[in-house]
Amino acid sequence: MLAVKGFRDSGERKQWREKMIVSRLHLLIDRCVRRRHAVLREIQSCFDSDSEEGEETAAASPESKDHLCLERLVAHLVGLLGAKNVHVQHLAGNILVQVSESLVESGSQWDDFIRFLCDSLHLALVYSFPLPSPTGFEGSNIGSDVLKCEMKKADWCTVSGIFRVLRNILKRLSQEENEDVIDVYLDSVNSTLAKIPWCRVNTHAHNGTLGSIGNSEEGTVFPGNFVQFLSTVVQQVRFPEDSDAFGTTHLILQKITELVPDLLRLCQPKLESQSGSSMSRYLVHKLLVLMIRLTYQSNIKCSILLSWLQYLQHHFQRFLQHTLNRNKPVQDNCLEGSPFFVSLSDRDVNETHSNHLQRLSVFLFLRCSLTLLYTSRHADKDCEFDCRKKGMEGVFKWIEQQVPGDTFSNHGTYSKKSVDFSTCFIQLFMHEDDLLFKVLLQLLSVPLAGEELLKGEERLLQDKEIGVRLSTLFNPVILFWIFLSELHYDHQVLLDYLISKDIGASCAEYLLRCLRTVCDSWTLFVEFPFEENINDSTSKRRRLLVETPEVEQNQILHPQAFENAKECLLSLQNSIVRLHQKKLFPYNPEALLRRLSRFQELCLLHE
């Protein structure tokens, strides 16, 4: 058959043979996916013809034969993840994921499978760059001879492929909600990550160990897959606040958090050398998403948040300093954030990605800063003072770049400049629903005007100034007005948010908390001025009526704006009631209905 095909060289013959083996394995898995022992026996026979271990395998017990067959299967398939043919890589990865599913269903040998896969990852990293060890070869105590023999040929492509497979396996496991299996998975991954000296990985990577692709977009694939894998782990695992501090979930999240500085050092040269490329943008996206997800750990230390804040200020200034402009609408589409879509021109694609990365950067910046300012995660008083001071300095500088200081000269009023900034800020996030509600919830932590910013008897002048600026620009009542106007006061949009599988819980939490603030600050909500934007007949959005100094001194009520907001929220209330009565609402909305009923009572009193 080889002679018939007529290969040009031995390399082409090897690639063709790899592809044929993988295709055969793929068919076997598809045919026997629910018959584990049959799968293992047939896969074993696939390799027996080329193996010198056939006699030894035949003499072993059935259990050891299955064990050895599984080990050889993992070794061969992981080896194919480094093949030059992308199709071969893809098929080998799919087969490993299907083998994992088959073993989980059978309830046998899955622990061995995931251990073999993690040992392969460790060996692949060791062989990709030799690490000196006082006792000799550092990989000597890792895995079996079967794995070592195959992983000697491993490279960065192999490592990237293993991370892809591990990520896909975790996503499948999370759908099954099998906590015992997930715990085994996390234990194995955490143990492997803990054994790898990542600082030395960085050193070898920066010294050109990635080879000729080190400075190309392909050289970004390894860190990209690694960051994507860690981001998926953080997304899929849950960390209950009452969980054991030494439990599996806590340990893996702690380890990933500790890895972030090494990740940033590994990725930064790629970001600098490939600035503006699709892969570099994708890498920035994944790094920001990973750090954002990690900030939601209840036990993350303030020192970590401070270090991330400083990293953002140093490396992502181009996103943080980008001035929000109300006159320039944010152009996005449904594929924003993906580095691979090609439906727009290069200029439009770059602008779309820039908007997306600006959202992520600004949100992470505000989340780190406001968490340092308004939470009690500090180790002691000195730590609290230092973290809050540095967080405050960062926020002050950012606001000063966005909004001139004279905007806040009249405390307690809302000038055109301050409201324009708040409007532009909300408009920036309106194109990504998940980030929109994350940032709206985060800004609910900002105290209202007149409330204390920091605890303590005395505050510096800058502390008070920061308090005024934050409460002016991010007043939750004002942001709620702007949010409703950006939705064109359409209660159906709010209803869609509430019943969404992805953002329903976030939207419900935001409405619950924000409606309480609105009801407690009723005068501000009623009197905040809006007027119809008569200059743009194609837009239904409202524009704030703050064109003259007299408006700042005497808050003018625009009746139609209030009526629009009232009708929107009361219509939402009626829709929820009808769905709930028919048992069609996806969760219990009683708490939200009580808040809306309170809002309705205040509306009746206002009449």
Side-chain angles (χ1 to χ4, degrees):
M1 190 172 183
L2 293 178
V4 173
K5 187 168 181 63
F7 297 101
R8 288 177 295 181
D9 53 43
S10 59
E12 185 176 339
R13 179 183 293 108
K14 181 179 178 182
Q15 289 186 34
W16 178 83
R17 186 175 181 278
E18 288 176 346
K19 185 175 180 180
M20 293 299 296
I21 290 175
V22 174
S23 297
R24 182 181 173 191
L25 289 172
H26 195 267
L27 291 173
L28 291 174
I29 294 293
D30 283 341
R31 190 171 75 239
C32 308
V33 69
R34 297 188 182 278
R35 293 161 42 219
R36 179 182 63 85
H37 291 290
V39 170
L40 295 179
R41 284 196 298 271
E42 292 195 53
I43 290 175
Q44 181 179 3
S45 67
C46 179
F47 293 108
D48 274 346
S49 60
D50 297 321
S51 173
E52 297 178 357
E53 302 177 49
E55 296 180 2
E56 180 181 342
T57 300
S61 65
E63 292 78 10
S64 62
K65 287 174 63 178
D66 283 350
H67 181 90
L68 179 60
C69 179
L70 180 63
E71 186 176 34
R72 290 170 58 199
L73 167 66
V74 172
H76 281 288
L77 289 175
V78 169
L80 291 173
L81 294 176
K84 293 182 179 180
N85 189 302
V86 177
H87 182 64
V88 170
Q89 296 176 20
H90 179 73
L91 287 178
N94 284 350
I95 293 172
L96 283 166
V97 173
Q98 291 184 33
V99 170
S100 172
E101 288 187 330
S102 176
L103 295 176
V104 169
E105 288 179 6
S106 72
S108 171
Q109 282 198 289
W110 189 85
D111 294 17
D112 291 334
F113 170 80
I114 200 66
R115 178 170 56 81
F116 293 151
L117 197 54
C118 287
D119 284 347
S120 298
L121 172 63
H122 195 173
L123 284 167
L125 279 164
V126 168
Y127 282 113
S128 294
F129 53 89
L131 299 176
S133 171
T135 58
F137 175 57
E138 191 160 335
S140 58
N141 297 322
I142 307 169
S144 66
D145 291 339
V146 173
L147 293 177
K148 290 176 185 176
C149 181
E150 191 67 43
M151 290 304 102
K152 285 180 180 179
K153 299 174 288 185
D155 56 17
W156 290 101
C157 185
T158 308
V159 177
S160 296
I162 298 174
F163 278 128
R164 283 197 305 272
V165 170
L166 286 172
R167 176 174 177 264
N168 291 333
I169 288 175
L170 177 59
K171 293 173 72 173
R172 299 287 184 91
L173 293 178
S174 299
Q175 294 174 1
E176 299 296 329
E177 297 183 352
N178 188 327
E179 292 185 5
D180 292 337
V181 172
I182 291 178
D183 281 346
V184 172
Y185 175 97
L186 295 178
D187 273 334
S188 297
V189 169
N190 184 59
S191 176
T192 301
L193 294 179
K195 295 173 184 175
I196 298 171
W198 294 103
C199 58
R200 289 154 72 182
V201 174
N202 285 333
T203 301
H204 280 261
H206 296 164
N207 289 339
T209 308
L210 288 176
S212 60
I213 67 170
N215 292 322
S216 67
E217 288 203 355
E218 287 125 355
T220 314
V221 171
F222 161 67
N225 280 321
F226 185 30
V227 175
Q228 186 181 44
F229 163 70
L230 295 179
S231 183
T232 299
V233 172
V234 175
Q235 181 186 31
Q236 298 293 338
V237 302
R238 302 184 184 279
F239 182 68
E241 293 190 8
D242 59 348
S243 63
D244 183 4
F246 298 99
T248 303
T249 304
H250 173 85
L251 292 176
I252 189 71
L253 291 178
Q254 184 181 44
K255 182 58 188 177
I256 293 174
T257 303
E258 293 172 355
L259 279 176
V260 169
D262 291 320
L263 278 175
L264 296 177
R265 284 191 290 270
L266 175 66
C267 297
Q268 194 57 43
K270 306 294 179 188
L271 301 180
E272 294 173 354
S273 64
Q274 303 169 27
S275 178
S277 69
S278 61
M279 287 303 296
S280 70
R281 290 193 297 265
Y282 181 70
L283 192 54
V284 171
H285 160 80
K286 282 300 178 184
L287 283 170
L288 291 171
V289 168
L290 174 61
M291 289 190 284
I292 287 171
R293 288 175 179 170
L294 286 170
T295 62
Y296 285 92
Q297 291 185 69
S298 60
N299 66 333
I300 191 168
K301 297 178 181 179
C302 60
S303 58
I304 293 174
L305 295 177
L306 184 57
S307 67
W308 293 357
L309 179 63
Q310 293 168 340
Y311 178 83
L312 286 170
Q313 291 170 324
H314 183 68
H315 293 287
F316 289 169
Q317 276 290 358
R318 64 187 185 279
F319 299 123
L320 296 178
Q321 290 180 348
H322 186 71
T323 304
L324 297 176
N325 189 344
R326 187 173 182 181
N327 297 322
K328 183 180 180 181
V330 178
Q331 297 293 336
D332 282 312
N333 63 35
C334 61
L335 295 179
E336 66 168 348
S338 167
F340 304 110
F341 74 92
V342 292
S343 59
L344 302 177
S345 67
D346 290 343
R347 180 177 178 180
D348 289 337
V349 168
N350 288 336
E351 184 173 350
T352 296
H353 286 302
S354 179
N355 292 332
H356 171 71
L357 296 178
Q358 183 186 11
R359 291 184 202 107
L360 291 174
S361 301
V362 170
F363 174 65
L364 180 58
F365 170 80
L366 288 175
R367 177 149 180 82
C368 291
S369 300
L370 297 181
T371 303
L372 291 171
L373 286 173
Y374 301 127
T375 63
S376 55
R377 301 187 183 189
H378 310 288
D380 50 43
K381 290 291 184 181
D382 291 337
C383 171
E384 179 178 4
F385 177 81
D386 184 58
C387 288
R388 284 179 163 171
K389 178 182 177 183
K390 292 177 180 177
M392 199 177 307
E393 289 173 351
V395 171
F396 187 89
K397 183 178 179 180
W398 179 72
I399 291 178
E400 189 68 25
Q401 292 169 344
Q402 294 288 337
V403 188
D406 58 2
T407 302
F408 310 94
S409 56
N410 295 323
H411 294 184
T413 66
Y414 295 93
S415 68
K416 182 180 185 303
K417 290 180 181 179
S418 67
V419 174
D420 274 354
F421 170 81
S422 302
T423 303
C424 292
F425 184 86
I426 295 297
Q427 288 175 350
L428 174 67
F429 287 90
M430 288 298 295
H431 297 273
E432 294 189 62
D433 298 338
D434 56 340
L435 274 179
L436 171 65
F437 287 105
K438 280 184 172 69
V439 77
L440 287 173
L441 284 167
Q442 184 63 49
L443 294 175
L444 287 174
S445 66
V446 175
L448 294 171
E451 294 183 1
E452 289 294 314
L453 173 67
L454 300 176
K455 296 179 181 179
E457 297 180 357
E458 296 183 0
R459 293 187 298 158
L460 300 175
L461 179 62
Q462 189 186 44
D463 299 352
K464 298 179 181 179
E465 184 65 26
I466 282 291
V468 170
R469 296 188 180 201
L470 285 174
S471 62
T472 301
L473 297 176
F474 298 127
N475 184 300
V477 177
I478 306 307
L479 293 183
F480 187 56
W481 260 121
I482 297 170
F483 170 65
L484 292 178
S485 71
E486 289 296 313
L487 297 181
H488 315 312
Y489 304 100
D490 187 345
H491 78 282
Q492 288 289 353
V493 178
L494 282 175
L495 186 62
D496 289 342
Y497 282 153
L498 285 170
I499 64 178
S500 167
K501 179 181 178 180
D502 297 323
I503 60 171
S506 298
C507 179
E509 181 183 358
Y510 173 66
L511 289 179
L512 275 170
R513 294 174 59 185
C514 196
L515 283 171
R516 180 175 60 186
T517 303
V518 165
C519 293
D520 291 342
S521 309
W522 186 249
T523 301
L524 176 59
F525 180 77
V526 169
E527 294 183 354
F528 195 69
F530 278 77
E531 72 171 354
E532 191 75 27
N533 179 9
I534 61 176
N535 295 323
D536 185 1
S537 59
T538 63
S539 175
K540 295 182 180 179
R541 290 178 178 152
R542 314 294 172 179
R543 176 165 293 178
L544 297 172
L545 181 62
V546 285
E547 299 293 340
T548 64
E550 290 76 16
V551 173
E552 296 181 16
Q553 297 174 11
N554 305 294
Q555 298 289 331
I556 297 176
L557 170 64
H558 191 288
Q560 187 58 45
F562 175 76
E563 289 299 321
N564 289 337
K566 180 178 75 172
E567 180 181 354
C568 172
L569 293 173
L570 296 184
S571 296
L572 176 66
Q573 180 187 29
N574 293 333
S575 296
I576 295 175
V577 169
R578 286 196 298 270
L579 289 174
H580 187 46
Q581 288 173 344
K582 297 177 182 179
K583 298 183 179 181
L584 296 176
F585 205 77
Y587 49 88
N588 189 344
E590 293 293 344
L592 180 57
L593 289 174
R594 286 194 295 271
R595 292 284 163 81
L596 289 168
S597 296
R598 175 58 180 160
F599 177 82
Q600 184 180 29
E601 292 172 4
L602 292 173
C603 288
L604 292 174
L605 291 174
H606 177 71
E607 294 177 354

